[in-house]
Amino acid sequence: MKTDLVVRVCMGTGGIAAGGAEVMDAFKKHLRSKGVTARIEKNCTMHKVGCRGLCARDVLVDIVVNDSKTTYQFIKPAMVERIIDEHVINGKPVEEWTVPEDYHLFHNKQVKVVLSDCGSVDPEDIESYLNVKGYDALKQVVTTMSPAETIGVIRQSGLRGRGGAGFPTGTKWEICSKETSEHKYIICNADEGDPGAFMDRSVIEGNPHAVIEGMIIGAYSIGADAGYVYIRAEYPLAVERLKNALKEARKHKFLGKGILGTNFNFDIKIKLGAGAFVCGEETALIASIEGQRGMPRAKPPFPVYKGLWGKPTVINNVETLANVPYIIRKGAEWYSSFGTEKSKGTKVFALTGKIRNSGLIEVPMGIPLREIIYDIGGGIENDKAFKAVQTGGPSGGCIPSHLLDIKVDFESLASVGSIVGSGGMVVLDEGDCMVNIAKFFLQFTQSESCGKCVPCRIGTKRLLEILERITSGKGREGDIELLEDLARDIKATSLCGLGQTAPNPILSTIRYFRDEYEAHITKKKCPAGVCRDLLSYVILAEICKGCGACKKVCPAGAISGEKKQPHTIDADICVRCGACFEACKFRAIGKG
Amino acid sequence: MIDLSINGLPVSVPEGTTILDAARFADIPIPTLCHHPKLTPYGGCRLCIVDVKGINRPVTSCTTPVAAGMEVTTTSPTIEKLRKTILELILSDHPNDCMVCEKAGDCTLQELAYFYGIRENRLDGERRVYAKKDDNPFIERNMEKCILCGKCVRICDEVQGVGAIDIAYRGFNAKVCPPFEKNLDCEFCGQCVSVCPTGALTGKAWGQRGRQKDIKEIETICPYCGCGCSITLHVRRNEVIRVSSREDTLNEGWLCPKGRFGYSFINNAARLKTPLIREEGQLKEATWDEALDFIADRLGKVKAKYGADSIAGLSSARCTNEENYLFQKFMRAAVGTNNVDHCARL
């Protein structure tokens, strides 16, 4: 009996956290003990794959028998034996464990370029990447194309930086290629730090060779002889897979001296970031590689003219570089057929928050936001009402429900006061307080400010203090205007992108949810019922049955009342923890 | 040369000049706190922002090089409003204890607050509170007054080549300190003190000895070594209370710890003011004539009895080159020996 069998177990960070390694072991063990491995020998492959998007369903397992793929979700080691018995041996998939219809809906509207091989190739085996035409683009470039021709293809494709600013990649490469210098550098910026963002992490964990290949092509185009991947130390799995991939690439002569038999020399080093968000800013990143404190410096000069060690340097984001091999292989026209007039191609987003299908998605630029939320994301968790999407992380803004039909591209998002950014997309529902959301992002930027320039160092602190007093019921009349005024001044005067964009979450929430700010300040109420200091709980006497459940759970002893008599809450003692609200079966407790 | 216009005035400066330097060349004032002409441009305080036609946001003049045809505006209601906000932010995190501050009257921040008329601060909030900890006798560090301009860090690194301090922590808690926040343990040259725009860094010995009023500044030469650095003595009621050095001197304002902090000998009661001659085991005051006669007489006798090579001379690094030259000449020509050496060789 000759059966082709492929078992793919999701072992990205999400998959491993859900128990991917144990599931993998169980497959190995049972396939061997049941004699499957022995029977089909080389035609049976089992391997890890990186993230395929829908992390919420991990551990996801693909079983491919004779080219027919079945995907299982929520797999635990104990379920493996039955899958092998029924599916692998008897050819009947275990229907109750396979992914339901919405798994396919999640993928149907997506267009995968960067993620096209994530979830199918083995990130720890270069052969797996080579089998899907990996490094073909590199071969094509170094043997048949000049650097100028290569840059021409990238320019023509319309690829723009995926790190946030959206600068045309081809233009950046072209400027750097025209500089004359003894050394030039290319840096891959993998210092992804936005809260809730995991695009770059997943790409490196799922398909590290695509990033490396993109970097080598970039180096060839600009004439760089050395490259760095600046990656967060908090991404241990990505770092490990990247190291392994670099080693394998060197073995195959894709890196090192005389790449693929030509006289092109280039190698890549890994530099671990020490957990500073500001090091994602390119001049701070350069300072960090040079061994300095990670603080930005003024531009000009831009790194393409004077970057690492004072030499011309191109800095590209992970996703940008991972696009490159596909563009070379499939052509600029193919790539630019996706997207809008000014924003070409696709963009990877990390869809998180109050969304049913949270995970990693790749969509064509210009897709309506509504399709992302409702078709791909499956709508709001627990059928609550959609309130807003925060895009671009702490540098971005929110998009309220009346703008749900907006197209997701660089220009459209900017027109409503938000940004595409690096690709964070946090969905908020009616239970989220927008003042609190702004406060959350300000807490982040404030603690991540490097402290070099005054507006960012002290200004963000003052913004945060004003937000804190608003959410704690001490807001003053004029605070909204003060926030707006200070926010604008900080944007105008800060040294780097961190400070220049840090006030965006405030300005954008005030723009669309001014009434929530006003309710906090004048009525001392939080409409969403989130800000604890503004909440009060009361027992509605006419509904209360006097069961005593609330009294039992109250940690402060604030509730009193006789059995079968309406209870009352002493507001002075109440700590507003909400335990009574959760405990009451009769909805007799009012919150507001 | 690059031709540009600043506030409508045509200015011509060499290529590579910053807008700030071009403006100062044209005698157009731009406020700064973190800029120092001898240090790498920093762009941290953001006060020197100016508008450049064609750029949609203000740029820092200290870091932006001039370009041909550039049209710069150094002041406008918008720019001044932004500068005022920056100052308000700095002052919101400052002790504002000018009444007892050593630096009052000579403080750039105080001066700017005065020019911008900042008294009430709409941006009041939490202020950094630090305990003083240094036990060195030279440099007083009051980090609550620090505005993170980074001049001390840069001068220590770029001029002195020591790197004793740097910025630690992030954001609002960023702080200039020695490694691991240990006590300052450096050469104590005090270069950092000389560039600090506020009262964050001062001399330990300066405290409550007198501020700017009633102080006479006397230019002189440091007596400590042959380098001959120019120094300025700050004298109050006939007492030296501080030493500094001007930037337009040969030593460019830089001094060593001895020159900057070692002046207490001047008024020390034990200071020698006349030569002393030991007679029967007792030191007795003498005039220079008596002392020199005595030395000449004894040297002559020793040389006559034991020969010139029985005499050796040791000179001091505190003498000038000319004095050291004369000393070896005296030993060789007058005494007749090559036995001459210098303390710097020991």
Side-chain angles (χ1 to χ4, degrees):
Chain A
M1 178 177 121
K2 183 177 177 298
T3 307
D4 278 332
L5 171 67
V6 182
V7 179
R8 300 191 197 117
V9 180
C10 180
M11 279 176 72
T13 295
I16 290 176
E22 290 77 16
V23 172
M24 185 75 162
D25 286 344
F27 268 105
K28 279 185 190 158
K29 188 179 132 197
H30 292 300
L31 283 173
R32 197 176 302 122
S33 69
K34 291 179 188 297
V36 179
T37 339
R39 227 169 340 126
I40 55 179
E41 286 180 349
K42 279 182 186 167
N43 294 320
C44 167
T45 50
M46 260 180 292
H47 65 81
K48 312 172 173 182
V49 291
C51 184
R52 58 189 68 205
L54 201 47
C55 306
R57 305 277 173 87
D58 271 327
V59 179
L60 288 157
V61 175
D62 283 341
I63 305 279
V64 188
V65 182
N66 294 329
D67 293 330
S68 154
K69 185 176 93 174
T70 310
T71 306
Y72 291 95
Q73 63 180 17
F74 298 123
I75 296 306
K76 299 266 172 282
M79 299 153 84
V80 171
E81 197 172 356
R82 188 174 153 201
I83 294 175
I84 293 174
D85 282 341
E86 295 184 16
H87 187 170
V88 178
I89 296 174
N90 291 323
K92 279 188 204 150
V94 187
E95 298 287 348
E96 60 200 274
W97 293 342
T98 57
V99 287
E101 182 59 20
D102 65 347
Y103 178 84
H104 302 292
L105 287 177
F106 176 80
H107 287 103
N108 284 352
K109 289 225 169 164
Q110 297 193 44
V111 173
K112 298 203 174 187
V113 176
V114 171
L115 299 180
S116 56
D117 293 320
C118 281
S120 56
V121 301
D122 183 343
E124 295 177 10
D125 181 9
I126 194 168
E127 296 297 336
S128 178
Y129 183 60
L130 292 172
N131 285 340
V132 291
K133 298 189 176 165
Y135 288 105
D136 277 8
L138 176 66
K139 285 174 201 158
Q140 184 186 332
V141 164
V142 295
T143 56
T144 67
M145 292 165 78
S146 70
E149 282 168 346
T150 316
I151 292 171
V153 173
I154 300 300
R155 275 193 77 135
Q156 214 191 332
S157 75
L159 177 65
R160 290 168 63 175
R162 295 298 193 244
F167 190 82
T169 307
T171 309
K172 196 188 262 189
W173 286 12
E174 189 173 12
I175 297 170
C176 195
S177 72
K178 287 186 177 154
E179 288 294 298
T180 44
S181 172
E182 191 187 347
H183 295 288
K184 288 185 199 175
Y185 299 99
I186 183 164
I187 299 174
C188 169
N189 184 349
D191 193 48
E192 177 177 58
D194 288 7
F198 46 88
M199 297 79 58
D200 298 346
R201 169 188 210 151
S202 303
V203 171
I204 294 179
E205 285 177 2
N207 194 5
H209 286 290
V211 183
I212 295 171
E213 189 180 359
M215 259 184 105
I216 307 171
I217 294 170
Y220 175 78
S221 307
I222 62 165
D225 54 351
Y228 285 85
V229 180
Y230 190 91
I231 183 166
R232 311 178 69 190
E234 296 95 323
Y235 283 179
L237 182 66
V239 172
E240 193 191 303
R241 289 189 177 159
L242 195 62
K243 276 186 184 163
N244 175 62
L246 286 174
K247 215 196 287 173
E248 287 188 302
R250 271 182 215 117
K251 257 190 225 158
H252 281 74
K253 291 267 172 206
F254 298 136
L255 281 174
K257 287 200 169 144
I259 290 172
L260 294 169
T262 65
N263 56 2
F264 166 45
N265 306 325
F266 175 70
D267 210 338
I268 297 173
K269 284 183 189 164
I270 293 179
K271 169 78 187 174
L272 294 187
F277 178 67
V278 72
C279 287
E281 198 282 338
E282 54 186 11
T283 58
L285 186 153
I286 287 172
S288 178
I289 293 182
E290 289 175 349
Q292 312 281 334
R293 176 178 164 90
M295 289 204 297
R297 61 157 176 76
K299 293 185 276 193
F302 288 91
V304 278
Y305 301 106
K306 220 174 162 193
L308 185 63
W309 316 116
K311 303 281 185 266
T313 304
V314 157
I315 302 178
N316 286 136
N317 164 267
V318 171
E319 191 188 330
T320 315
L321 291 168
N323 268 304
V324 169
Y326 297 97
I327 294 173
I328 299 286
R329 228 155 61 204
K330 301 188 180 179
E333 267 174 41
W334 164 80
Y335 189 77
S336 61
S337 68
F338 305 114
T340 63
E341 195 199 331
K342 286 185 174 167
S343 305
K344 299 291 184 197
T346 59
K347 175 79 193 91
V348 180
F349 288 98
L351 189 61
T352 57
K354 307 288 178 61
I355 188 96
R356 199 166 277 141
N357 301 331
S358 64
L360 198 67
I361 61 167
E362 184 171 359
V363 289
M365 284 281 191
I367 187 175
L369 183 59
R370 186 183 294 279
E371 287 185 20
I372 294 183
I373 304 295
Y374 287 97
D375 297 345
I376 297 172
I380 308 301
E381 228 176 20
N382 301 325
D383 290 318
K384 286 195 175 172
F386 169 84
K387 188 171 198 174
V389 183
Q390 167 78 25
T391 64
S395 313
C398 64
I399 300 163
S401 55
H402 73 268
L403 295 172
L404 246 182
D405 288 306
I406 191 168
K407 286 181 172 179
V408 177
D409 59 58
F410 289 115
E411 288 72 28
S412 307
L413 292 198
S415 72
V416 296
S418 189
I419 57 169
V420 171
S422 60
M425 205 174 248
V426 184
V427 181
L428 308 169
D429 71 13
E430 55 191 324
D432 287 307
C433 165
M434 298 313 284
V435 188
N436 195 50
I437 293 290
K439 191 174 81 175
F440 167 79
F441 283 113
L442 254 292
Q443 275 167 341
F444 179 81
T445 39
Q446 201 281 313
S447 63
E448 291 296 342
S449 161
C450 78
K452 179 170 178 175
C453 78
V454 176
C456 181
R457 180 178 77 240
I458 312 176
T460 57
K461 173 81 175 170
R462 298 295 172 247
L463 287 177
L464 177 61
E465 285 171 343
I466 298 169
L467 289 174
E468 277 169 348
R469 75 174 177 240
I470 292 176
T471 54
S472 64
K474 292 173 192 139
R476 304 170 197 157
E477 204 170 310
D479 269 355
I480 301 179
E481 291 71 22
L482 184 59
L483 278 175
E484 287 177 315
D485 187 55
L486 181 56
R488 281 190 210 110
D489 288 359
I490 292 171
K491 278 172 74 79
T493 54
S494 286
L495 169 59
C496 82
L498 196 161
Q500 287 163 13
T501 59
N504 285 354
I506 296 184
L507 289 173
S508 139
T509 48
I510 292 180
R511 177 169 171 184
Y512 296 116
F513 299 95
R514 199 182 186 97
D515 53 332
E516 281 195 37
Y517 279 84
E518 282 163 355
H520 281 75
I521 295 169
T522 53
K523 296 184 197 143
K524 309 287 175 207
K525 285 285 168 205
C526 172
V530 171
C531 300
R532 191 184 271 199
D533 290 336
L534 300 179
L535 283 183
S536 58
Y537 289 91
V538 285
I539 295 175
L540 310 168
E542 61 274 24
I543 306 175
C544 180
K545 309 273 189 233
C547 71
C550 55
K551 195 171 158 183
K552 221 177 191 174
V553 296
C554 179
I559 301 177
S560 57
E562 297 298 317
K563 255 206 160 147
K564 299 198 174 168
Q565 294 298 315
H567 286 36
T568 51
I569 301 176
D570 185 336
D572 291 337
I573 304 173
C574 175
V575 293
R576 303 175 184 93
C577 68
C580 55
F581 185 82
E582 300 292 328
C584 181
K585 289 177 190 154
F586 309 100
R587 301 196 166 198
I589 294 176
K591 174 169 105 167
Chain B
M1 296 295 271
I2 305 280
D3 293 313
L4 69 157
S5 84
I6 305 180
N7 299 345
L9 237 82
V11 181
S12 190
V13 287
E15 197 182 338
T17 309
T18 61
I19 297 176
L20 179 68
D21 286 341
R24 290 190 171 169
F25 173 72
D27 201 24
I28 296 167
I30 295 177
T32 65
L33 276 168
C34 71
H35 182 74
H36 191 286
K38 302 235 170 65
L39 302 175
T40 315
Y42 191 64
C45 75
R46 318 303 291 169
L47 281 173
C48 71
I49 46 170
V50 294
D51 274 327
V52 174
K53 198 175 173 188
I55 301 179
N56 62 3
R57 48 179 299 121
V59 299
T60 42
S61 57
C62 70
T63 59
T64 312
V66 293
M70 206 179 226
E71 291 176 41
V72 178
T73 311
T74 65
T75 180
S76 70
T78 317
I79 289 285
E80 297 302 343
K81 150 79 167 52
L82 293 174
R83 286 181 183 151
K84 189 171 179 186
T85 300
I86 291 166
L87 282 170
E88 284 174 313
L89 285 170
I90 297 175
L91 290 165
S92 74
D93 182 31
H94 193 78
N96 298 327
D97 60 353
C98 305
M99 275 177 227
V100 290
C101 182
E102 195 56 43
K103 196 80 173 178
D106 190 25
C107 170
T108 321
L109 180 61
Q110 189 188 40
E111 189 180 71
L112 287 169
Y114 162 78
F115 278 117
Y116 282 83
I118 300 168
R119 169 97 181 130
E120 297 301 317
N121 197 333
R122 69 196 168 113
L123 301 171
D124 267 339
E126 187 190 330
R127 192 170 70 69
R128 292 162 301 154
V129 177
Y130 297 130
K132 287 191 216 169
K133 59 191 287 190
D134 289 323
D135 47 13
N136 76 76
F138 305 110
I139 297 173
E140 177 88 356
R141 297 191 308 140
N142 188 339
M143 298 324 285
E144 292 179 13
K145 294 181 186 174
C146 173
I147 57 163
L148 276 297
C149 70
K151 280 191 202 172
C152 52
V153 174
R154 280 175 286 152
I155 206 161
C156 190
D157 179 30
E158 295 172 19
V159 173
Q160 204 63 17
V162 170
I165 44 174
D166 204 338
I167 298 171
Y169 304 108
R170 285 184 206 153
F172 189 69
N173 300 318
K175 182 182 183 184
V176 175
C177 58
F180 309 106
E181 285 200 82
K182 287 182 177 168
N183 275 325
L184 191 62
D185 184 15
C186 59
E187 299 177 355
F188 300 110
C189 66
Q191 240 70 286
C192 52
V193 178
S194 75
V195 293
C196 181
T198 72
L201 297 172
T202 55
K204 274 253 161 79
W206 305 351
Q208 288 151 330
R209 303 299 300 270
R211 294 197 288 203
Q212 300 311 303
K213 194 179 174 296
D214 300 333
I215 283 182
K216 261 200 294 187
E217 293 188 359
I218 296 167
E219 306 297 330
T220 183
I221 301 293
C222 176
Y224 270 106
C225 76
C227 290
C229 292
S230 296
I231 57 173
T232 306
L233 301 178
H234 298 242
V235 180
R236 181 175 181 272
R237 298 176 72 93
N238 213 27
E239 186 190 346
V240 175
I241 60 162
R242 201 158 51 234
V243 172
S244 67
S245 182
R246 292 197 334 267
E247 282 168 26
D248 58 357
T249 54
L250 265 180
N251 47 303
E252 303 185 352
W254 316 138
L255 291 176
C256 77
K258 289 190 273 186
R260 193 184 305 278
F261 297 120
Y263 56 83
S264 61
F265 71 91
I266 299 170
N267 296 316
N268 194 306
R271 178 181 166 189
L272 291 183
K273 290 176 180 163
T274 64
L276 301 176
I277 299 175
R278 196 185 303 273
E279 288 175 9
E280 294 163 6
Q282 292 293 312
L283 286 168
K284 290 201 171 145
E285 287 191 2
T287 66
W288 279 108
D289 281 346
E290 286 167 0
L292 290 172
D293 285 348
F294 179 74
I295 293 165
D297 179 46
R298 291 295 298 270
L299 281 178
K301 282 178 183 163
V302 172
K303 185 181 168 184
K305 192 170 176 187
Y306 300 106
D309 281 342
S310 63
I311 300 170
L314 185 67
S315 182
S316 166
R318 285 188 60 172
C319 300
T320 62
N321 279 341
E322 293 80 355
E323 286 164 340
N324 277 313
Y325 173 79
L326 285 173
F327 184 71
Q328 63 83 30
K329 194 81 178 169
F330 168 74
M331 289 304 291
R332 292 196 169 105
V335 179
T337 177
N338 284 326
N339 291 342
V340 57
D341 213 333
H342 186 275
C343 75
R345 246 172 45 85
L346 297 182

